[in-house]
Amino acid sequence: MLSVEALKIRYGEVEAVRRVDLAVDSGEIIALVGANGAGKSSTLSAIAGLVPAASGKVIFDGADITGLAPEAIARKGVALVPEGRRIFASLTVADNLRLGGAVHLTPPEARAREEEMLELFPILRRYHRAKGGNLSGGEQQMLAIARALMSKPRMVLLDEPSLGLAPQLIDTVFDLIAELRRTGLTILLVEQNVALALEIADRAVVLANGEVVLSGTAKELASSDLVRQAYLGA
Amino acid sequence: MIAQQIINAVSLGGVYALLALGLAIVFSIVGLINFAHGELMTLSGYALLACLVFGLPFPLAVLVAVSCGALAAVAMERVAFRPMRGASVTSLLLTSFAVSSLLKVVFQNGISARPQAVAMPGWMTGAFSFGDFTIGVGPSISIVVSALALIALELFLRRTVTGTAMRAAAEDFNVVRLMGIPASRIIATAFLLSGLLAGLAAMLWVAQRASVDPLMGFTPVLKAFIAAVVGGLGSLPGAVAGGFLLGIIEVLLQATLPGAVAPYRDAIVLSGVIAVLLIRPQGLIPAVRAQRS
Ligand SMILES: Nc1ncnc2c1ncn2[C@@H]1O[C@H](COP(=O)(O)OP(=O)(O)O)[C@@H](O)[C@H]1O
Ligand SMILES: [Mg+2]
């Protein structure tokens, strides 16, 4: 469904991503893991069109989407839940959700979809009229995911959904991700919590210093020496 | 006398508020202080003059003139600013200076460097009185128009999807694009609104002076810029508060300063502005923002 070929990303002189190749099949969860600064967020940003690729290609559904504007990529059905949630703090929860589906759905479809999201995230119904900025970190993460799902995307890119959350909230978020996969959604998941990511993913790609150092099924990686020593602390 | 001064103060404040809002809307979305905002105002003034010379009925002439301001703002973005997208703030600022100077030269050479009289309808300069009070029709209309424009803008920003997207874009433009909402639509709407507000302000300004000249927009927009900074650059409630505050202080000083000090009115106002900014560097009502594109 998505393939990234020889992606390179530069910020001025700095080469943040040297070479990333990865492929995500329909209905899969692929985990993209690696240390802080490895280039995970940059890779997701390039897929979503927020940063330009210095070279390489991003192919979605057989079409080359490299260099398209973020709004054009979003319309093709790719939704990014960015690092740090980036919900609209001065807007209500309702308005945050509404913007998520604004261009993809007709008003009645958007209302129906919003209702589905409120079913999936009951906490958001409770705070429907509250400002996004007044929610806790976990609630903001739910809102960020729900806002991205409003557009009924075919693929979501999740950037560190567990960051800064209390352990039981992390479990809630990961249960949710598993549930989303059951609905047929394709997911590219970036995580620093490698153990958790490998538990939920079908396959995983390990990034270090902007390059893919290892990839394979989640099971293979969980038992590989490199991953065990470097990321699982075993 | 006092009632009339209050009306004058609020009416001037309303014009500054409309102009400051226009500057603030564009700044909140694209991070640009549009120095050519005053020329949008001047252009609307000339458009009104032209419509009246061609014999259009007054309400229609006003409608056309305000639309000209709005369309000119959108065209300005298309022609001058869009090709600069992604450029540094300094380049954008210089571009807006260039556009401003260019338009001034066009007005001076294409029309005339001298003020042109605009034939406003007679009832505008009239006054009505209750008991002891006499109140000018012009300033009263100005207050009503400013108030209606502020309410309409507020409704647009709160109730429509595009308005909500604009509030969101002022906070985090890139995430709005991630929602599939085109950047160009948001930016064009910001300029359209700023042009509409400049056009309305021009009508109110011309109504009080009955003339247009190539530099007409300069002083009010300079004041509006000050108002926007005092209010908190990029903050819309701040721009409105700053506009009214500045208008009221100016009229107050005008009315109370002894003759010998009166020429220093602007210096006194600016000292006040500096004092406000020393105490509250982010302005009276700071803008909320997370990240800029
Ligand atoms: N906007 C930016 N400007 C300059 N350098 C950046 C920017 N974003 C990220 N980087 C650099 O690129 C590298 C990869 O960052 P990032 O993609 O955020 O890694 P990760 O998400 O894996 O922690 C880091 O060295 C980081 O400092
Ligand atoms: Mg990251």
Side-chain angles (χ1 to χ4, degrees):
Chain A
M1 180 173 234
L2 176 84
S3 75
V4 173
E5 295 165 12
L7 178 68
K8 183 192 291 238
I9 300 163
R10 267 202 209 99
Y11 298 107
E13 291 296 294
V14 185
E15 217 167 70
V17 170
R18 268 198 270 274
R19 182 187 174 111
V20 168
D21 296 87
L22 59 85
V24 188
D25 288 335
S26 183
E28 268 191 322
I29 299 187
I30 301 284
L32 182 60
V33 299
N36 210 351
K40 307 179 297 292
S41 297
S42 301
T43 302
L44 291 197
S45 298
I47 296 172
L50 286 179
V51 301
S55 64
K57 269 193 202 161
V58 181
I59 314 277
F60 182 68
D61 261 352
D64 190 343
I65 59 166
T66 332
L68 288 189
E71 51 266 38
I73 294 173
R75 281 164 191 243
K76 289 190 180 290
V78 180
L80 169 66
V81 180
E83 187 170 20
R85 331 189 206 293
R86 288 168 76 173
I87 52 130
F88 302 118
S90 66
L91 267 54
T92 61
V93 166
D95 281 342
N96 269 276
L97 291 175
R98 213 155 285 149
L99 285 184
V103 298
H104 305 78
L105 310 174
T106 63
E109 281 171 351
R111 276 192 295 278
R113 183 63 173 167
E114 188 178 347
E115 191 49 41
E116 284 173 33
M117 289 301 113
L118 297 178
E119 288 294 313
L120 198 57
F121 303 91
I123 192 78
L124 298 183
R125 191 191 299 279
R126 172 128 60 97
Y127 294 124
H128 201 231
R129 306 250 41 109
K131 293 253 163 77
N134 294 338
L135 303 190
S136 71
E139 291 154 2
Q140 290 190 354
Q141 187 64 61
M142 305 287 180
L143 177 56
I145 295 174
R147 182 181 63 180
L149 293 177
M150 274 300 291
S151 64
K152 301 189 177 172
R154 294 196 300 126
M155 173 164 196
V156 284
L157 316 172
L158 290 171
D159 199 343
E160 305 219 25
S162 72
L163 195 72
L165 300 192
Q168 75 271 27
L169 266 173
I170 297 184
D171 287 344
T172 315
V173 170
F174 273 77
D175 287 347
L176 187 96
I177 295 172
E179 196 171 325
L180 291 177
R181 187 252 292 275
R182 276 195 291 280
T183 67
L185 193 63
T186 308
I187 298 171
L188 178 54
L189 170 69
V190 160
E191 259 301 332
Q192 277 202 55
N193 189 333
V194 177
L196 257 173
L198 293 181
E199 223 169 85
I200 197 174
D202 299 295
R203 293 186 296 122
V205 175
V206 182
L207 220 56
N209 299 318
E211 273 175 301
V212 175
V213 290
L214 203 61
S215 66
T217 64
K219 229 184 235 134
E220 282 165 14
L221 292 200
S223 56
S224 96
D225 290 339
L226 175 80
V227 171
R228 287 162 62 89
Q229 281 162 17
Y231 303 105
L232 298 178
Chain B
M1 174 64 190
I2 290 189
Q4 183 59 54
Q5 290 296 0
I6 293 172
I7 299 278
N8 286 347
V10 177
S11 126
L12 183 65
V15 175
Y16 290 164
L18 296 186
L19 290 170
L21 257 178
L23 289 172
I25 289 173
V26 167
F27 183 84
S28 73
I29 306 271
V30 284
L32 160 76
I33 294 163
N34 186 9
F35 280 101
H37 199 65
E39 280 57 54
L40 292 174
M41 202 182 154
T42 313
L43 188 94
S44 293
Y46 280 120
L48 180 69
L49 172 66
C51 289
L52 292 176
V53 167
F54 282 116
L56 254 59
F58 185 70
L60 192 60
V62 168
L63 195 72
V64 172
V66 173
S67 312
C68 278
L71 293 181
V74 173
M76 192 184 277
E77 190 271 322
R78 263 322 316 227
V79 174
F81 299 123
R82 191 170 299 183
M84 306 282 295
R85 185 124 3 124
S88 71
V89 172
T90 323
S91 326
L92 284 173
L93 220 57
L94 288 175
T95 307
S96 83
F97 260 127
V99 172
S100 163
S101 314
L102 184 80
L103 287 175
K104 274 195 207 99
V105 171
V106 168
F107 296 144
Q108 276 159 357
N109 296 339
I111 303 168
S112 165
R114 282 199 304 271
Q116 307 290 306
V118 180
M120 298 304 282
W123 51 264
M124 276 254 183
T125 47
F128 47 86
S129 34
F130 328 70
D132 292 347
F133 300 124
T134 325
I135 289 169
V137 173
S140 308
I141 290 179
S142 172
I143 291 173
V144 172
V145 169
S146 307
L148 289 179
L150 294 181
I151 293 168
L153 183 68
E154 175 73 10
L155 287 176
F156 172 77
L157 291 174
R158 301 266 153 210
R159 298 290 167 81
T160 67
V161 171
T162 306
T164 307
M166 296 191 62
R167 286 186 291 136
E171 251 189 72
D172 195 334
F173 196 35
N174 274 337
V175 175
V176 173
R177 302 182 73 186
L178 285 178
M179 311 284 98
I181 300 164
S184 50
R185 194 212 288 175
I186 301 286
I187 294 175
T189 311
F191 275 88
L192 182 83
L193 290 175
S194 84
L196 263 178
L197 293 168
L200 275 179
M203 297 305 105
L204 302 180
W205 197 256
V206 173
Q208 308 274 308
R209 288 158 191 82
S211 83
V212 197
D213 65 88
L215 301 180
M216 175 181 108
F218 179 76
T219 311
V221 169
L222 181 66
K223 300 285 171 58
F225 171 66
I226 293 168
V229 171
V230 168
L233 200 48
S235 148
L236 307 193
V240 175
F244 278 108
L245 191 68
L246 198 65
I248 290 167
I249 291 176
E250 270 190 13
V251 172
L252 206 71
L253 289 179
Q254 183 85 344
T256 55
L257 282 184
V261 204
Y264 299 105
R265 188 191 68 177
D266 285 351
I268 295 171
V269 171
L270 285 176
S271 314
V273 167
I274 293 170
V276 168
L277 292 181
L278 282 176
I279 301 164
R280 291 183 70 94
Q282 302 297 315
L284 296 173
I285 308 174
V288 199
R289 85 172 296 115
Q291 253 139 335
R292 163 134 24 249
S293 55

